[in-house]
Amino acid sequence: MRPRRPVVGIVGHRYAVPRPHVTIQATGTPETYVDEVARAGGLPIVLPAGRAVETLGLVDAVVLTGGGDVEPGRYGGETHTALDVDPRRDDEEVLLIRAAAVRGIPLLGVCRGLQLLVVAFGGTLVGHLDAHRNLAGHAVRTEPTSTLRELLGVRAHVTSLHHQAVAHPGDSWRVTARADDAVVEGIEWSGPTSWSAIGVQWHPELPHDETGDRIFGWLVEAAAQRDGEPALAMSAPAQSS
Ligand SMILES: N[C@@H](CCC(=O)NCCCC(=O)O)C(=O)O
């Protein structure tokens, strides 16, 4: 049977779609993530917000996307007027992170996704910093003997859009990339179990980000390597009689 493309689940989030006479409550994700997964050779599917854990058995890898701020109470942080929190999304995605870790499903966390990975395993965040909120981006430096070093080399230019950052990564994550001002820009799983999981503080899914193909390429390759139970036996469609 022709090998199938690894199925990559992109965790959707809720948002409102204003229409002339009604506001529709939707769940979904920016198309840039879908396009980048497909470009890297994966089969992208969007996992509905709040139901991602139920659908984990269908995927070979997961993408946690960007978005609002992690609720500071989760990591002992202070509230801040600039924060836009969604505790319900935090709850659901922390459950998903832990389920993916237990099942060894490769995971990429982007921006808020990285921050939630840290908080989900006991790390903490800086509540607010002004420096990194510009899409023009900045350079990052990777750590020796890290996956990000293998993928990106010593330095790379990345696209950035965040006002929070990692304060302490916790015991389960190794910091493997930093900006020149020492802000954490990349983490890799270093916990007790083997799990292919990386977080990046920048936005590799954005078309003008130069790291996208390599970062999403890593995830799709990790998904293909994963020898878990096959997700979908892509048998030939039933012949219509
Ligand atoms: N809120 C956090 C995370 C920032 C983040 O994920 N930005 C992406 C914005 C685009 C989107 O909503 O997908 C921070 O600011 O540090």
Side-chain angles (χ1 to χ4, degrees):
M1 184 156 58
R2 188 167 49 77
R4 61 177 178 79
R5 283 191 288 159
V7 178
V8 178
I10 303 162
V11 182
H13 58 270
R14 295 180 185 82
Y15 53 96
V17 180
R19 307 293 287 161
H21 307 297
V22 64
T23 297
I24 297 168
Q25 291 306 321
T27 177
T29 193
E31 276 193 323
T32 46
Y33 292 98
V34 173
D35 297 342
E36 203 61 46
V37 166
R39 216 191 334 272
L43 183 59
I45 63 170
V46 178
L47 308 181
R51 298 189 177 286
V53 174
E54 297 167 56
T55 55
L56 264 186
L58 299 176
V59 305
D60 303 305
V62 171
V63 178
L64 267 185
T65 65
D69 305 315
V70 178
E71 211 281 315
R74 274 185 175 277
Y75 56 87
E78 272 145 50
T79 58
H80 190 286
T81 50
L83 295 183
D84 96 63
V85 294
D86 181 347
R88 184 182 181 196
R89 183 181 176 185
D90 295 348
D91 291 344
E92 291 162 354
E93 292 185 355
V94 165
L95 286 178
L96 174 88
I97 289 167
R98 293 188 179 142
V102 165
R103 300 178 71 154
I105 296 176
L107 186 148
L108 171 66
V110 172
C111 204
R112 167 200 150 85
L114 171 151
Q115 295 166 359
L116 201 61
L117 286 174
V118 162
V119 170
F121 289 93
T124 61
L125 304 179
V126 178
H128 182 68
L129 46 84
D130 283 320
H132 283 241
R133 291 171 71 82
N134 63 66
L135 280 178
H138 56 78
V140 295
R141 181 184 175 78
T142 62
E143 288 299 316
T145 68
S146 69
T147 300
L148 286 176
R149 172 64 64 94
E150 282 167 38
L151 295 171
L152 307 177
V154 175
R155 290 177 73 79
H157 188 83
V158 300
T159 308
S160 189
L161 183 63
H162 63 108
H163 78 107
Q164 301 189 309
V166 173
H168 192 287
D171 303 333
S172 301
W173 298 100
R174 177 190 170 202
V175 173
T176 56
R178 287 183 187 272
D180 292 341
D181 59 4
V183 164
V184 173
E185 292 283 342
I187 60 169
E188 296 174 25
W189 177 251
S190 60
T193 56
S194 74
W195 183 35
S196 300
I198 286 181
V200 292
Q201 187 60 72
W202 67 88
H203 282 271
E205 83 285 0
L206 292 179
H208 57 277
D209 187 279
E210 64 180 45
T211 70
D213 294 350
R214 286 164 284 168
I215 297 286
F216 283 87
W218 164 82
L219 184 69
V220 171
E221 186 52 34
Q225 299 300 328
R226 178 173 170 259
D227 55 8
E229 73 279 3
L232 293 171
M234 302 286 269
S235 53
Q239 301 302 317
S240 55
S241 51

